[in-house]
């Protein structure tokens, strides 16, 4: 009995000692930059997709409770909430096409690419599972228990985009390239501090409005996926949740929302940098250790400089080249913020 009591006490004490150690290790792991960026992309993408897919579910299942405008607002303000959640941590990309563009243009290291993509894909997949669970009974009632991809009671479009009958595959491809290019082009403009960016603190709202505007004006043809992270993980979820292989076979559309946004975002980024970014004037040079006021440079005497010798107003004062203020080029105050989203 005594030995058993000692063993129990020792195990309890070891658990009490190990708990703080585990917590400390977890905190150390959470403070690593890669981990923080992964979690930021995961959570921001999850929030965006829950709001977005939920609004699509209302349109498909709810009749008067949903509309296409509601879908645009759901995705747009879902993006806004995602930017507020992760903007200062990872940039809140929430979009594999935007992450790819930033890496391809040298604005982000390629070693972060898989971290961002994994976070986005997991967040999107989990969001699809969440919406499926929330609307399961409505989906079954609407479809009569038959989970179909096409037809009058199709429900797969709640989770992923599908090509409509009035469009062809390559027209849909060009549509996704153009729409995603517009997204990236406007995002660079919104966040470029050297140009005319959105006011500090309003970037998230302006980016959300941008998504709404794109949906209202250009969303009819393909559903404006613009984002492999928005389309591919939910499509894979529907494959394993009961809709079957048809989610990948329907008009061979599944690869377009993956490839076309990558090309479109890259082209949009290049167009902005070539036609807009390269034409922005550089800041003027200023003198080192001097104040600039109304374009007049006033040298500032160092605090440790001894008092100058008394001279007559008529006595010329020679300035040694060593004591002349040096000129240096000051880089821009800040690089453009890259809050690339959705």
């Amino acid at each position: 009995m005594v030995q058993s009591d000692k063993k129990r006490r020792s195990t309890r004490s070891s658990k009490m000692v190990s708990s703080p150690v585990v917590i400390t290790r977890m905190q150390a792991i959470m403070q690593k930059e890669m981990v923080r960026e992964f979690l930021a992309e995961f959570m921001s993408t999850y929030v965006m997709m829950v709001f977005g897919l939920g609004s699509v579910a209302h349109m498909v299942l709810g009749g008067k409770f949903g509309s296409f405008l509601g879908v645009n607002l759901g995705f747009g303000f879902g993006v806004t909430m995602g930017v507020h959640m992760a903007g200062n941590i990872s940039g809140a990309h929430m979009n594999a096409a935007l992450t790819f563009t930033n890496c391809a243009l040298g604005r982000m290291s390629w070693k972060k690419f898989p971290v961002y993509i994994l976070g986005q894909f997991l967040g999107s997949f989990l969001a699809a599972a969440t919406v499926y669970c929330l609307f399961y009974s409505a989906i079954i009632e609407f479809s009569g228990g038959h989970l179909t991809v096409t037809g009058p009671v199709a429900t797969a479009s709640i989770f992923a985009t599908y090509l409509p009958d009035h469009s062809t595959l390559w027209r849909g491809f060009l549509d996704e390239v153009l729409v995603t290019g517009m997204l990236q082009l406007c995002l660079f403009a919104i966040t470029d501090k050297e140009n005319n960016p959105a006011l500090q603190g309003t970037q998230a709202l302006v980016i959300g409005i941008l998504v709404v505007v794109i949906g209202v004006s250009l969303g009819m043809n393909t559903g404006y996926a613009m984002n492999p992270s928005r389309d591919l993980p939910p499509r894979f979820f529907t494959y394993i949740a009961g809709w079957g292989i048809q989610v990948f076979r329907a008009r061979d559309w599944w690869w377009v929302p993956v490839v076309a946004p990558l090309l479109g975002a890259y082209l949009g980024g290049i167009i902005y940098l070539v036609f807009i970014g390269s034409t922005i004037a550089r800041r003027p040079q200023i003198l080192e250790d001097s104040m600039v006021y109304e374009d007049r440079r006033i040298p500032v005497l160092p605090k440790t400089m001894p008092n100058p010798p008394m001279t007559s107003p008529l006595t010329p004062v020679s300035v040694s080249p060593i004591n002349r203020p040096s000129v240096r080029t000051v880089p821009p105050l800040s690089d453009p913020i890259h809050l690339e989203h959705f």
Side-chain angles (χ1 to χ4, degrees):
M1 291 293 291
V2 175
Q3 292 180 351
S4 62
D5 290 340
K6 289 182 179 179
K7 289 182 180 179
R8 290 176 183 175
R9 291 175 183 174
S10 62
T11 53
R12 289 177 183 175
S13 61
S14 63
K15 289 181 180 180
M16 293 177 64
V17 172
S18 61
S19 306
V21 174
V22 172
I23 294 174
T24 304
R25 288 180 179 176
M26 289 295 295
Q27 290 176 344
I29 293 174
M30 297 289 283
Q31 291 302 317
K32 291 183 178 180
E33 182 182 8
M34 287 286 194
V35 176
R36 293 175 67 245
E37 290 173 343
F38 166 80
L39 293 175
E41 287 298 311
F42 171 80
M43 289 303 304
S44 59
T45 307
Y46 175 81
V47 169
M48 175 195 71
M49 290 297 293
V50 166
F51 288 144
L53 296 182
S55 63
V56 179
H58 277 75
M59 181 182 70
V60 174
L61 307 173
K64 63 180 181 180
F65 294 103
S67 64
F68 187 65
L69 177 60
V71 173
N72 298 323
L73 293 173
F75 270 110
F77 288 102
V79 169
T80 296
M81 294 300 105
V83 174
H84 277 298
M85 182 168 295
N88 285 338
I89 302 174
S90 66
H93 293 188
M94 300 179 283
N95 188 333
L98 304 185
T99 303
F100 169 80
T101 299
N102 277 275
C103 293
L105 296 179
R107 298 189 169 206
M108 194 177 79
S109 173
W110 278 105
K111 68 180 181 180
K112 292 186 177 183
F113 182 76
V115 177
Y116 276 59
I117 299 304
L118 181 61
Q120 294 165 12
F121 276 35
L122 288 178
S124 183
F125 184 90
L126 185 60
T130 301
V131 171
Y132 175 77
C133 293
L134 289 175
F135 292 92
Y136 175 78
S137 58
I139 291 173
I140 297 300
E141 181 180 357
F142 178 82
S143 63
H146 300 287
L147 303 178
T148 57
V149 176
T150 59
V153 292
T155 50
S157 59
I158 295 174
F159 303 93
T161 61
Y162 291 88
L163 190 66
D165 295 333
H166 69 264
S167 183
T168 63
L169 185 65
W170 290 107
R171 283 183 179 272
F173 183 91
L174 293 176
D175 186 276
E176 283 294 320
V177 170
L178 175 62
V179 172
T180 314
M182 292 290 291
L183 173 69
Q184 182 68 84
L185 181 71
C186 295
L187 283 175
F188 273 3
I190 291 171
T191 59
D192 187 354
K193 280 191 172 182
E194 297 300 316
N195 191 3
N196 186 22
L199 296 177
Q200 184 66 30
T202 66
Q203 296 97 331
L205 179 61
V206 174
I207 292 169
I209 294 174
L210 169 63
V211 174
V212 174
V213 171
I214 290 175
V216 169
S217 59
L218 301 172
M220 182 185 77
N221 287 331
T222 61
Y224 71 111
M226 303 189 298
N227 184 355
S229 303
R230 174 259 179 274
D231 199 86
L232 186 58
R235 190 182 300 273
F236 184 72
F237 172 80
T238 55
Y239 167 71
I240 64 177
W243 279 265
I245 194 63
Q246 192 63 23
V247 299
F248 291 102
R249 291 178 177 173
R251 303 194 65 181
D252 295 325
W253 171 254
W254 72 270
W255 64 273
V256 175
V258 178
V259 177
L262 300 177
L263 177 60
Y266 184 69
L267 292 177
I270 290 179
I271 289 172
Y272 180 86
L273 294 178
V274 171
F275 291 96
I276 303 297
S278 62
T279 62
I280 297 176
R282 295 178 180 271
R283 293 178 181 271
Q285 293 181 341
I286 65 172
L287 291 175
E288 189 175 4
D289 297 329
S290 66
M291 297 184 300
V292 179
Y293 180 72
E294 294 182 356
D295 294 331
R296 292 176 297 176
R297 295 182 175 87
I298 307 173
V300 179
L301 294 176
K303 295 181 180 179
T304 59
M305 180 177 288
N307 294 329
M310 297 298 295
T311 58
S312 169
L314 300 179
T315 304
V317 179
S318 62
V319 180
S320 171
I322 301 177
N323 296 326
R324 290 175 183 172
S326 60
V327 180
R328 67 185 179 91
T329 301
V330 176
L333 296 180
S334 60
D335 293 328
I337 300 176
H338 308 299
L339 295 174
E340 287 82 49
H341 327 276
F342 188 65

